[in-house]
Amino acid sequence: MPETPEQPDRKGALSRRRLLGVAGAGTAIGAAGFVGGLGASWAATGPTPDDASQPQSHPFHGEHQAGIVTAAQDRLHFAAFDLTSDSRDDLVALLKAWTAAAARMTAGEPVGERAQPYDAPPDDTGEALGLTASRLTLTFGFGPSLFRDAHGADRFGIADRQPKALRRLPHFPADNLVAARSDGDLCIQACADDPQVAVHAVRNLARIAFGTAAIRWAQLGFGRTSSTSQSQQTPRNLFGFKDGTANLKVEDTADIDRFVWVGDGDDPASDWMTAGSYLVARRISMTIETWDRTSLREQEGIVGRDRQHGAPLSGGTEFTEPDFSVTGRGGKPLIPVDSHVRLAHPSHNDGVQILRRGYNFTDGNDGLGRLDAGLFFIAYVRDPATQYIPMQNKLSRDDAMMEYLQHTGSALFAVPPGVPQGGYLGEALFT
Amino acid sequence: MKRRLAVYPLALALPLMAACTTNDPSSDTSGTATPRSLAVTSTDDRCDVSAQQAPSGNLVFTVKNDGSKVTEFYLLGQDGLRIVGEVENIGPGLTRDLVVQAAAGTYFTACKPGMVGDGIRSSFTVTDSGEPVAASGKEAELVATANTQYAGYVKDQSDQLLAKTEQFVSDYKTGKDDAARALYADARVHWERIEPVAESFGDLDPRMDLREADLQAGERWTGWHRVEKDLWPPKSGYHPMSRTERSAVADQLLADTKELHQRTRTMTFTADQIGNGAKELLDEVATGKVTGEEEAWSHTDLWDFQANVDGARVAWEGLRPVLQQKDPDLDAKLEERFAALQKLLDAHREGTGFVLYTSLSTDQVRTLSDAVNALSEPLSQLTAAVVL
């Protein structure tokens, strides 16, 4: 899509940069070479262009599920389901049907392989016909309630294989959770660059589930707030700040192995989770209007970075490591002690990191005409008990940003490993 | 009450087609070229089929109309008369699939540009693949039986509707409001059981079953729900109808019911009408009853809910002998899910009827809705499974 140079928005700027870059590098070098070249001076020149090195579709099958370290796509449709059947066979049949449909949709194919009579409702709902795969990824997870009901009873004969790490998240300070936006037996994270493709995927998977599982809650995200690859520009959240500058990136393979993927032997009774991960979902409402009335001084102090470039207040550029020891007048630290970047930084969290994959959302407005908007936080961790829970307790208690945030939804899911050809989602849990 | 733009007279629905496929062609008949996927190009003077033979089983003819006239495509039996499968009304430039289950034998393909004459025919051979093909022949008989049964059900329900409406109207006109209130839901059950049939009459349905919210500005409101509001009036801001007004609405309702009764005397049904009727009844439940919108004043939605499910079950039961031959898995699933939904409904019975919709909790409504979805999805496959 051609975009005019006058267009001031971020995407316009990116497209122009990409056009100039490709022209400068010459077509023979290609996209990968272009990105690689910039990568050498990455810290000095800031972000590299989005998407240039990314494939147009992501295979569904593999060692890990796609949609975790996959370069974050632009749009999200997330859905949590509750089982409406108490039959293990139904559950396994659903996971098989979802596997087949997901493999087709992520390849840009419609659901259903059979030719259908004119008098039958089509297997595929049709709204993605003619669209590309749009880098769709479908990532599936199992909630604690899939294993045991509210009374602790084994629901599907898998309670003894419930991972130790898979427990309902605790209450964090200032939580204001809505039950209808929280928890769930199953989840699907659908990410794509085209929102129609993501919505199509969830709609068709929900249709397949009728009679076995039904949507409990769902969330649309209109723009990513995280980068999961060095090839991506850091996006901004609705506070107007770059978000996820220091996020784990797919290129940091050692850190990804250490902090994202469940390792062999992590939880011997739940070895089916090896090469999987844990998905933390938090619907974080932002009180946009009061934030907007806050001085830039205070905003930057709360975040701990400058708004324009995302540089830490201790100095440098976006990707400069924050120096929490630097002080200014009166000996006060330049990065305030209650700033978000300080409290969330690995150096203040026993060195642990998380892979963030969140999205901006707005669900219209509340009854007072205020935006019902915020950040749908998604993080992937190897162990929520040591990585997410301590960090969130500290943030909820101490983070100056909490004045403008309210957590309204919460869920934790075990994301099983990827599906080999011929297998199905979570197969090792049921065999 | 159905959205009025979507009302189609049953007479316009598809004709009876008593032949011969399932809706479950083997996966090798998908878009890619296989021996069982055949491309047909129909022009004004040609009918080109990509192959003259195919192995027995589920065949897909993808028919493209490259001519200037509306065309049709037929697969005919060896006698050139028996219709094994057909696609009709293919406009110029359009493509449509015909899915048929064909046993080994000799057939004819025929395109009929302009929809007249015997069509442009070629012989077509189905070789024996060794795969089992459901026996045909008996199906026409089974479908005829289903028709007879369903037509009888419709007549019986409209008999009961008329009898109860006469009583209801009389009570209402003479001010016996308690008696009328007691009869309201019970009488409407017979309407709701055959709702798609009643709705097929585009003149009667809006006069008899329109809800207040469905009215256009200035439109006169008549029928069941007009009386409902008068019998269960809002606490304030409502002017009760005068005796004269009551008589006018009541007389109209009875006259319309008699007209409906009369029209059902001679109705016949095709398999697709019965199957689609079942699906439409569950659609009614999903959009109007499980939401509590249908009976906004009396809150007797669960009576309607049960009646819609009754009507759908009768329709399915009539078609079961055909369905059990063509798609036993679908039949088993429908049996299981009808039972599951009925179990939930039974939990809300009270006396001879049900509790009011307003006494249901959000969770109870949600559970009912999930069961409706669980049944509706396979029920939407019923028509294609039995008709083609």
Side-chain angles (χ1 to χ4, degrees):
Chain A
M1 188 179 78
E3 292 185 273
T4 62
E6 289 76 29
Q7 232 173 308
D9 64 275
R10 183 173 64 84
K11 282 198 89 80
L14 280 174
S15 295
R16 289 196 306 280
R17 186 198 295 262
R18 182 155 67 230
L19 284 173
L20 290 170
V22 169
T27 49
I29 295 173
F34 168 52
V35 169
L38 269 189
S41 55
W42 177 51
T45 59
T48 51
D50 283 15
D51 303 336
S53 68
Q54 299 304 323
Q56 297 304 305
S57 70
H58 297 293
F60 178 73
H61 297 96
E63 181 191 5
H64 308 293
Q65 288 198 56
I68 302 174
V69 296
T70 307
Q73 303 93 326
D74 291 337
R75 322 289 174 196
L76 167 78
H77 191 171
F78 192 100
F81 292 74
D82 280 341
L83 269 292
T84 55
S85 166
D86 53 11
S87 154
R88 178 183 168 121
D89 290 346
D90 283 355
L91 172 58
V92 170
L94 173 63
L95 293 171
K96 287 178 178 173
W98 272 0
T99 299
R104 288 187 64 84
M105 287 192 287
T106 52
E109 301 287 333
V111 171
E113 293 183 34
R114 45 182 202 168
Q116 291 185 269
Y118 201 42
D119 282 285
D123 285 341
D124 187 278
T125 57
E127 72 272 30
L129 294 175
L131 301 179
T132 67
S134 192
R135 299 184 178 122
L136 173 69
T137 56
L138 293 165
T139 315
F140 297 81
F142 303 149
S145 53
L146 186 71
F147 295 82
R148 287 185 174 89
D149 68 15
H151 308 291
D154 190 352
R155 292 182 70 188
F156 298 100
I158 50 177
D160 59 338
R161 309 191 73 188
Q162 178 173 0
K164 288 199 290 284
L166 186 65
R167 296 286 179 270
R168 208 159 169 273
L169 289 172
H171 174 88
F172 296 107
D175 270 5
N176 187 16
L177 302 182
V178 179
R181 296 189 191 279
S182 300
D183 303 317
D185 297 339
L186 300 169
C187 79
I188 303 171
Q189 172 199 276
C191 296
D193 289 338
D194 184 334
Q196 180 105 340
V197 170
V199 170
H200 168 264
V202 168
R203 173 183 173 185
N204 280 269
L205 294 169
R207 184 180 176 209
I208 289 168
F210 280 131
T212 303
I215 289 184
R216 176 183 173 88
W217 55 270
Q219 182 69 54
L220 287 170
F222 66 82
R224 67 182 172 87
T225 63
S226 300
S227 303
T228 51
S229 166
Q230 291 171 1
S231 67
Q232 294 185 294
Q233 166 147 333
T234 311
R236 290 178 190 269
N237 61 30
L238 292 183
F239 284 154
F241 280 74
K242 291 191 174 184
D243 203 328
T245 293
N247 200 19
L248 282 174
K249 303 285 197 315
V250 62
E251 292 83 359
D252 313 327
T253 50
D255 284 341
I256 294 285
D257 283 341
R258 184 173 163 207
F259 293 118
V260 177
W261 304 127
V262 174
D264 199 7
D266 279 10
D267 184 352
S270 302
D271 56 351
W272 59 273
M273 269 296 287
T274 301
S277 189
Y278 291 92
L279 185 168
V280 177
R282 303 281 291 182
R283 184 179 187 273
I284 305 175
S285 295
M286 294 172 161
T287 48
I288 300 283
E289 290 77 8
T290 51
W291 175 267
D292 292 345
R293 294 171 196 135
T294 306
S295 69
L296 184 59
R297 176 195 305 276
E298 187 176 342
Q299 289 184 3
E300 292 194 345
I302 288 169
V303 175
R305 292 182 180 275
D306 99 299
R307 188 170 87 151
Q308 186 67 35
H309 303 289
L313 295 182
S314 52
T317 60
E318 181 188 350
F319 293 99
T320 307
E321 268 296 307
D323 183 346
F324 299 110
S325 65
V326 177
T327 55
R329 283 182 183 276
K332 287 191 170 174
L334 287 183
I335 300 177
V337 292
D338 60 354
S339 67
H340 187 75
V341 71
R342 180 187 287 261
L343 292 167
H345 195 267
S347 62
H348 294 87
N349 291 280
D350 296 329
V352 302
Q353 298 190 58
I354 61 176
L355 178 76
R356 279 178 284 165
R357 219 173 184 286
Y359 285 83
N360 293 322
F361 73 83
T362 175
D363 293 338
N365 58 279
D366 68 11
L368 303 176
R370 300 184 290 210
L371 283 180
D372 179 4
L375 174 73
F376 188 72
F377 173 95
I378 296 174
Y380 286 92
V381 295
R382 179 173 176 174
D383 179 12
T386 56
Q387 290 173 268
Y388 178 72
I389 293 172
M391 183 188 296
Q392 188 56 53
N393 261 320
K394 182 158 49 157
L395 287 170
S396 288
R397 192 180 60 233
D398 299 334
D399 188 357
M401 195 181 279
M402 281 301 288
E403 188 179 342
Y404 303 92
L405 302 178
Q406 191 166 64
H407 288 233
T408 50
S410 173
L412 179 68
F413 298 97
V415 173
V419 180
Q421 290 284 351
Y424 65 89
L425 283 161
E427 183 170 7
L429 174 58
F430 297 95
T431 50
Chain B
M1 172 61 206
K2 188 166 181 163
R3 303 280 176 271
R4 275 181 288 177
L5 284 176
V7 171
Y8 298 101
L10 281 179
L12 293 184
L14 291 173
L16 178 74
M17 289 181 286
C20 299
T21 72
T22 74
N23 70 332
D24 185 27
S26 51
S27 58
D28 64 351
T29 55
S30 62
T32 52
T34 73
R36 291 199 177 95
S37 292
L38 300 124
V40 179
T41 307
S42 173
T43 65
D44 291 350
D45 53 8
R46 294 182 62 86
C47 185
D48 296 325
V49 184
S50 59
Q52 276 67 56
Q53 66 171 40
S56 60
N58 293 301
L59 307 184
V60 181
F61 293 90
T62 300
V63 185
K64 178 155 200 305
N65 184 358
D66 269 347
S68 62
K69 301 170 182 166
V70 177
T71 194
E72 298 172 339
F73 176 78
Y74 294 83
L75 185 67
L76 301 167
Q78 188 170 13
D79 60 4
L81 297 172
R82 184 172 67 91
I83 297 170
V84 179
E86 63 179 318
V87 279
E88 305 173 296
N89 300 328
I90 309 171
L94 298 187
T95 300
R96 192 161 298 161
D97 283 351
L98 169 65
V99 184
V100 294
Q101 189 169 62
T106 308
Y107 297 82
F108 290 97
T109 55
C111 297
K112 210 183 275 190
M115 302 181 292
V116 293
D118 289 338
I120 305 161
R121 298 187 175 202
S122 310
S123 65
F124 186 82
T125 304
V126 175
T127 58
D128 189 353
S129 66
E131 289 177 24
V133 175
S136 63
K138 234 182 108 188
E139 280 153 14
E141 204 178 301
L142 297 175
V143 169
T145 307
N147 166 40
T148 308
Q149 283 175 0
Y150 196 70
Y153 178 72
V154 169
K155 276 199 274 193
D156 177 52
Q157 291 303 314
S158 59
D159 285 347
Q160 297 188 58
L161 177 67
L162 180 55
K164 288 182 182 173
T165 305
E166 281 171 338
Q167 182 63 47
F168 174 77
V169 160
S170 161
D171 290 342
Y172 177 63
K173 282 171 71 175
T174 54
K176 295 175 189 162
D177 286 11
D178 283 341
R181 276 190 284 264
L183 193 52
Y184 174 81
D186 189 33
R188 277 182 55 75
V189 158
H190 306 289
W191 165 276
E192 294 287 344
R193 281 182 180 153
I194 56 170
E195 196 166 9
V197 175
E199 283 176 348
S200 70
F201 302 116
D203 52 345
L204 292 178
D205 182 46
R207 288 213 299 268
M208 297 176 73
D209 200 32
L210 212 58
R211 291 169 300 189
E212 190 170 18
D214 298 325
L215 296 170
Q216 286 180 38
E219 191 177 2
R220 186 165 161 262
W221 187 23
T222 60
W224 283 103
H225 296 301
R226 180 69 194 89
V227 179
E228 180 201 4
K229 187 175 182 180
D230 200 45
L231 287 171
W232 285 273
K235 287 199 169 54
S236 62
Y238 179 77
H239 298 287
M241 284 203 273
S242 68
R243 195 112 183 171
T244 318
E245 286 168 322
R246 280 194 168 198
S247 285
V249 170
D251 291 345
Q252 176 79 59
L253 178 59
L254 184 57
D256 287 338
T257 306
K258 285 178 173 166
E259 174 66 25
L260 174 68
H261 181 265
Q262 187 55 40
R263 291 187 198 176
T264 59
R265 297 303 94 184
T266 52
M267 290 186 84
T268 59
F269 299 90
T270 57
D272 65 292
Q273 288 168 343
I274 300 171
N276 283 332
K279 174 208 169 272
E280 285 166 28
L281 281 162
L282 263 293
D283 290 349
E284 292 283 343
V285 175
T287 54
K289 278 73 175 191
V290 83
T291 58
E293 290 169 55
E294 181 75 17
E295 307 290 358
W297 305 104
S298 67
H299 305 303
T300 53
D301 301 270
L302 288 185
W303 278 257
D304 300 357
F305 192 145
Q306 177 69 62
N308 285 163
V309 173
D310 288 343
R313 183 172 44 226
V314 166
W316 160 64
E317 283 171 348
L319 294 171
R320 284 192 85 177
V322 188
L323 185 62
Q324 283 166 341
Q325 282 194 5
K326 296 193 166 183
D327 195 341
D329 292 345
L330 178 61
D331 185 67
K333 185 167 272 188
L334 287 172
E335 181 170 34
E336 170 201 320
R337 296 201 173 162
F338 265 117
L341 180 57
Q342 190 57 56
K343 195 175 163 196
L344 287 176
L345 273 172
D346 287 345
H348 300 298
R349 284 191 189 277
E350 191 177 81
T352 56
F354 291 89
V355 300
L356 297 184
Y357 182 83
T358 42
S359 74
L360 297 177
S361 70
T362 310
D363 281 349
Q364 288 171 328
V365 170
R366 173 70 203 244
T367 306
L368 284 167
S369 175
D370 286 343
V372 168
N373 282 330
L375 172 59
S376 300
E377 210 42 54
L379 197 59
S380 71
Q381 307 287 339
L382 172 63
T383 301
V386 299
V387 168
L388 288 177

